[in-house]
Amino acid sequence: MKDLNIGMVGGGFMGRTHSNAFSQVNHFFDVPYRPVLKTICGRNAERAKAFAAQWGYQSVETDWRNLVDSRDVDVIDIASPNDTHAEIAIAAAKAGKIVLCEKPLGRNPAESEAMVAAVDAAGVANMVWYNYRRVPAVTLARQLIDEGRLGRIFHYRTKFLQDWTISSDLPQGGTALWRLDASVAGSGVTGDLLAHNIDTALWLNGHINEVSAMTETFIKERKHELTGKVEPVTIDDASAFLARFRNGSLATFEATRYARGHKALYTFEINGENASIAWDLHDLHRLEYFDHRDEGRLRGWKSIHITDGDHPYMKQWWVPGLQIGYEHTFIHQAADFLEGLGDGRSVSPTFRDALLTDYVTDAVLQSAKNRQWVTVKGQ
Ligand SMILES: NC(=O)c1ccc[n+]([C@@H]2O[C@H](COP(=O)([O-])OP(=O)(O)OC[C@H]3O[C@@H](n4cnc5c(N)ncnc54)[C@H](O)[C@@H]3O)[C@@H](O)[C@H]2O)c1
């Protein structure tokens, strides 16, 4: 097993999930590389040192450029806010590093296209952390679709609901609240939440041809944490769109941070000619399945507990009946990536795959602005 030195940019929420994944992956998966937590890069030296001590990083940097230049680092893992992704990824690719990046890839398609061009030109391995593909129940949904069990697909219905920005006293900008500042985030819930729904949908149901969207900013002004001034809010607080997939199915997508009572209710339901599938992040270890071909008297929705050895990823974990959670999705993604790296195979979602999601989010924002159907680029 070869060592693979990780240089992590950002020690926030995702810095923790990725560090945990790299620490755990060799305990559970037989992969050809051993990730070594080499260097954590954060802008605040004291906080970065504390992060290094807690997670076992060997050194600390406060400027990502030093990380990119370091001979000791093989992988640049970008877990910092969206406005940093393009610059760091492009520099890392030019330096010949493996580049992993959080979602969304860029703040807009122009940034994302430049990032794809950079990893292609450098020929470096790359991947984007759309982790929900690696929830075992979601991976099983993909297997059932690939096996043709659903038949022709008619409908795809998906939501991502939260409620944490309802208070008008919540400021915009700064740690975690950078999500409310479009200059940092790129967009609001469209790029932050719907990007997940879109990535999963493209993976499960194929290309999206066209969209018709509406967005709303419910709170128009908020104090900016960094300037101290009350400034206009430029993100979308809520976003909903209709879509037509290339396979002829119709879809509805909705995301908001104003659905009182919902914290991270990511759901999807797919209705096919023979069968339907439904999944809910709040109950992520279950897949709901209805098969019309079952014997009539016993036909009904099954709630499958995804904990058995023949369910995706599950034989690596505990014993049947014992469920796993959110953090494991990142461990699965790290395992798949390391296995692919060993075989010289790119592992999806690559930067190029994630660019397709950005084309959809861009079409959604355009459609909401122009109040017209928009054809999705690059599909
Ligand atoms: N895959 C997912 O489900 C998921 C979930 C949450 C966030 N994300 C994505 O992960 C990224 C980070 O989000 P988060 O929730 O961890 O944010 P966060 O605010 O919790 O943490 C961001 C960290 O990056 C650091 N940082 C900012 N600029 C930096 C720079 N120039 N150099 C080094 N460090 C810098 C901050 O100090 C902070 O520690 C975003 O792109 C976000 O969209 C993905």
Side-chain angles (χ1 to χ4, degrees), residues 12-14 43 81-82 85 102-103 129 131 176 178-179 196:
F13 175 21
M14 285 301 113
R43 288 166 307 174
N82 305 350
H85 293 186
E102 258 306 336
K103 50 60 61 180
W129 293 93
N131 56 305
W178 57 263
R179 282 179 175 77
H196 280 298

Side-chain angles (χ1 to χ4, degrees), residues 4 9 26 36 63 104 160 203 237 242 246 262 324 367:
L4 194 70
V9 186
N26 297 117
V36 176
D63 186 341
F160 207 136
W203 190 57
D237 285 335
L242 305 176
R246 185 183 284 164
H262 294 303
I324 59 168
S367 168

Side-chain angles (χ1 to χ4, degrees), residues 81-117:
N82 305 350
D83 61 331
T84 64
H85 293 186
E87 198 183 4
I88 302 175
I90 292 167
K94 279 190 183 147
K97 307 293 187 195
I98 294 166
V99 198
L100 307 180
C101 187
E102 258 306 336
K103 50 60 61 180
L105 187 57
R107 280 174 299 180
N108 51 56
E111 281 190 350
S112 304
E113 282 169 358
M115 294 166 81
V116 170

Side-chain angles (χ1 to χ4, degrees), residues 8-18 41-44 47 51 61-65 78-85 88 101-105 128-132 160 174-179 185 191-192 196 326 329-330 333:
M8 180 74 63
V9 186
F13 175 21
M14 285 301 113
R16 296 169 68 227
T17 61
H18 297 190
C41 172
R43 288 166 307 174
N44 177 302
R47 280 209 298 270
F51 192 91
E61 276 295 347
T62 51
D63 186 341
W64 60 263
R65 289 168 191 84
I78 306 166
S80 43
N82 305 350
D83 61 331
T84 64
H85 293 186
I88 302 175
C101 187
E102 258 306 336
K103 50 60 61 180
L105 187 57
V128 179
W129 293 93
Y130 279 112
N131 56 305
Y132 293 114
F160 207 136
T175 301
L177 298 173
W178 57 263
R179 282 179 175 77
D192 195 41
H196 280 298
Y326 175 73
T329 63
F330 294 91
Q333 188 157 356

Side-chain angles (χ1 to χ4, degrees), residues 12 79 155 172 298 301 372:
H155 292 289
Q172 56 173 316
L298 297 176
W301 280 90
Q372 280 174 347

